[in-house]
Amino acid sequence: MAGIVACVLLSLVTMVHSQVQTAFLEYMQTRMGVLEERIAQWHDHSSRYSSELRDFKNQVLKMLENIEKEREAVRNEVENTNVRVDRLEREVDYLETQNPAPPCVEIDEKLTELHVNKKKKNEKYEKLTGCPKAENPDTAEPNVVPSPPPNRKSYCSDTISQVNAMKILKRYGSSTGLWTKDPIGNSERVYVFDGSGNDTVYLFPRMKEFTLSTSTRKSARVKLPFPWIGTGHVVYGGHLYYVRQGDEFQVIKFNLVNKTVVDSAVLPIEDQVPVYGLSTHNYIDIAADEEGLWVIYATRENEKNICLAKLDSNSLSIEQMWDTPCPIENAESAFVVCGTLYVVYNTKLPSRSRIQCVFDVSGTISSENVPVVYFPKRYGSHSSMKYNPKERQIYAWDDGYQIIYKLSMKPKDELY
Ligand SMILES: *[C@@H]1O[C@H](CO)[C@@H](O)[C@H](O)[C@H]1NC(C)=O
Ligand SMILES: *[C@@H]1O[C@H](CO)[C@@H](O)[C@H](O)[C@H]1NC(C)=O
């Protein structure tokens, strides 16, 4: 009996035990299910976070890019503003030139006070003008022809007293170039040589067309049979006189009406060197004035100073040659007015250009009795300055700007 009771008890205990086990397992399964769900959720979240993080990073990169672009735009804006300020300053310069520049007056007064002994005087002169004083003309070696030919006509006897006004016409082409008009006849045509060597010349019927033009594409052009070099060319009496580089420098006379070469000449000048210390592209600079054509050049033989020659516009022969006292060093450009060579000087870092040395073939004036004439403040350098004797103004090419300088004159003998 006791055995039966024990057996029943045992089976009861076993039954309860298995029931408890089942419940526990069920419980554990539910818990694990919940945990798995949570893990899945975390996983979900973290991948969402990382994709959000990626988006954010992309946004930031885009913003940085935009900021960089804006910075570039601002930089361009600033550059444009600088160019405009430059322009404005030039315009202000133009207005300022309506009044004579005070430094000239000052130097003029000082020069008239020079009456100490000659050596001191020369030193003082050199300090004031930066231009070495010419040899005393009485003792100086005579040049090729000792005295001017008796048939030399003096068409005018004026000298530059100041640069009266400056007009910036345009910004066109390269930093180097030349623009000019024919001083003979009534042609209003504007001739443009862009660069320091090419075979093409651009032509505009009048100043207005040139100032309104936006490119050379629409302008007429003349293609020359031989390329030109430098900025030493002139248009004179319907002909273009230009410099051609070959083994030697040649002057070509080109008829602009029927577009043919009329004549050419190799000038009797040996061992040429660049005529202006501040630029290397000009070996021959042809100039026109009231008396005709001139050639400004330099040779190895007379390495320090600029030479001048009178050129016959018909035959291209040299009538006369002079060694001038005007140094090549720091010379920027030059032109001839009424038989007087005016050399324009500057510094390697461009400052104000000034006429600091003059050479008068008639001997009436010299650097000693001519005040230094300043050009209005500029920022580049003059690659050409072409005097127009009819209009009495200079067509200059300043670092790609086309500028007209109006000159005021006075008789040479009023300097005394
Ligand atoms: C002349 O200038 C134009 C425009 O700059 C250029 O395309 C051409 O090659 C130049 N010609 C010569 C002969 O230098
Ligand atoms: C061009 O004109 C000049 C001057 O008028 C003349 O001497 C020359 O013979 C002409 N040349 C041609 C090819 O027509």
Side-chain angles (χ1 to χ4, degrees):
M1 182 61 193
I4 291 164
V5 170
C7 195
V8 168
L9 265 177
L10 190 70
S11 61
L12 257 174
V13 166
T14 319
M15 217 169 76
V16 167
H17 186 78
S18 78
Q19 267 173 5
V20 166
Q21 234 177 9
T22 316
F24 179 73
L25 278 176
E26 271 169 14
Y27 169 76
M28 282 308 284
Q29 263 170 6
T30 345
R31 286 299 297 171
M32 274 165 75
V34 169
L35 279 174
E36 269 169 9
E37 214 167 282
R38 279 216 189 142
I39 286 171
Q41 267 176 15
W42 288 339
H43 197 73
D44 218 37
H45 281 176
S46 85
S47 75
R48 207 161 55 229
Y49 286 150
S50 77
S51 90
E52 269 171 20
L53 201 66
R54 214 176 307 124
D55 287 351
F56 180 67
K57 208 169 100 184
N58 285 343
Q59 268 176 20
V60 168
L61 280 180
K62 213 170 276 168
M63 271 159 71
L64 282 175
E65 228 169 68
N66 284 343
I67 287 173
E68 187 56 38
K69 262 185 217 154
E70 267 166 35
R71 215 168 63 181
E72 191 64 30
V74 168
R75 197 182 303 137
N76 285 343
E77 190 77 23
V78 167
E79 262 164 31
N80 284 344
T81 311
N82 274 346
V83 168
R84 291 214 311 260
V85 167
D86 244 40
R87 262 227 139 108
L88 267 177
E89 279 186 359
R90 287 177 199 226
E91 294 294 342
V92 169
D93 282 346
Y94 161 72
L95 290 174
E96 272 180 0
T97 54
Q98 306 289 337
N99 302 314
C104 300
V105 176
E106 223 177 273
I107 284 172
D108 192 10
E109 279 164 8
K110 277 181 193 158
L111 276 175
T112 57
E113 280 167 25
L114 296 177
H115 47 65
V116 259
N117 74 62
K118 188 161 179 285
K119 188 164 176 286
K120 234 178 162 176
K121 189 169 153 184
N122 286 356
E123 277 170 12
K124 196 165 176 189
Y125 172 79
E126 283 182 25
K127 220 172 84 197
L128 281 173
T129 63
C131 195
K133 179 116 166 0
E135 288 288 305
N136 185 340
D138 299 336
T139 57
E141 282 282 312
N143 290 324
V144 179
V145 180
S147 62
N151 62 350
R152 169 180 291 291
K153 272 189 261 161
S154 199
Y155 295 95
C156 65
S157 60
D158 283 347
T159 180
I160 298 173
S161 62
Q162 71 182 57
V163 179
N164 224 12
M166 169 195 193
K167 192 170 183 194
I168 299 158
L169 266 294
K170 197 173 176 58
R171 181 165 204 177
Y172 180 96
S174 348
S175 63
T176 303
L178 143 70
W179 71 305
T180 189
K181 278 167 71 177
D182 191 342
I184 306 293
N186 295 317
S187 168
E188 285 299 304
R189 260 192 210 145
V190 175
Y191 299 87
V192 177
F193 294 72
D194 183 17
S196 57
N198 204 289
D199 59 359
T200 302
V201 182
Y202 298 105
L203 253 156
F204 297 86
R206 271 166 313 213
M207 191 63 74
K208 199 173 106 215
E209 281 79 4
F210 177 55
T211 46
L212 292 177
S213 73
T214 48
S215 76
T216 51
R217 257 175 290 138
K218 288 194 211 98
S219 69
R221 55 186 71 188
V222 178
K223 202 165 159 29
L224 299 174
F226 314 108
W228 50 269
I229 179 118
T231 57
H233 329 293
V234 297
V235 177
Y236 189 80
H239 289 91
L240 166 64
Y241 295 79
Y242 75 96
V243 182
R244 173 202 184 183
Q245 188 179 17
D247 294 337
E248 291 154 300
F249 291 95
Q250 216 176 357
V251 174
I252 309 275
K253 183 178 175 182
F254 181 80
N255 187 310
L256 285 161
V257 180
N258 61 20
K259 312 268 190 296
T260 51
V261 172
V262 178
D263 204 353
S264 71
V266 173
L267 302 181
I269 305 165
E270 279 172 14
D271 280 339
Q272 282 185 260
V273 293
V275 57
Y276 306 125
L278 292 182
S279 68
T280 51
H281 54 256
N282 274 329
Y283 286 73
I284 294 176
D285 193 0
I286 310 172
D289 81 340
E290 292 78 358
E291 298 186 20
L293 295 185
W294 303 82
V295 176
I296 307 160
Y297 64 96
T299 67
R300 203 174 302 285
E301 191 195 343
N302 179 3
E303 232 173 311
K304 289 210 160 44
N305 294 334
I306 291 171
C307 301
L308 179 69
K310 184 79 185 63
L311 184 72
D312 185 320
S313 59
N314 289 320
S315 65
L316 293 187
S317 62
I318 298 275
E319 295 171 1
Q320 203 175 343
M321 294 164 117
W322 297 266
D323 286 337
T324 79
C326 300
I328 292 168
E329 195 182 354
N330 287 332
E332 179 179 68
S333 193
F335 47 88
V336 181
V337 178
C338 289
T340 300
L341 174 74
Y342 294 83
V343 185
V344 178
Y345 291 87
N346 205 326
T347 40
K348 285 203 178 61
L349 272 177
S351 65
R352 285 182 77 179
S353 303
R354 56 214 167 247
I355 299 169
Q356 229 168 9
C357 190
V358 303
F359 174 74
D360 182 5
V361 299
S362 74
T364 313
I365 56 169
S366 67
S367 297
E368 196 181 1
N369 49 30
V370 170
V372 174
V373 172
Y374 281 88
F375 286 87
K377 195 168 71 198
R378 296 170 317 102
Y379 304 91
S381 69
H382 288 121
S383 55
S384 65
M385 295 179 107
K386 293 286 158 182
Y387 173 66
N388 185 310
K390 189 171 79 182
E391 300 168 347
R392 300 215 134 177
Q393 54 190 16
I394 292 168
Y395 289 78
W397 190 293
D398 169 13
D399 201 22
Y401 285 93
Q402 289 73 45
I403 295 171
I404 289 179
Y405 294 113
K406 288 190 165 53
L407 303 173
S408 77
M409 307 281 201
K410 64 180 171 195
K412 284 177 184 173
D413 48 20
E414 256 182 37
L415 285 166
Y416 299 102

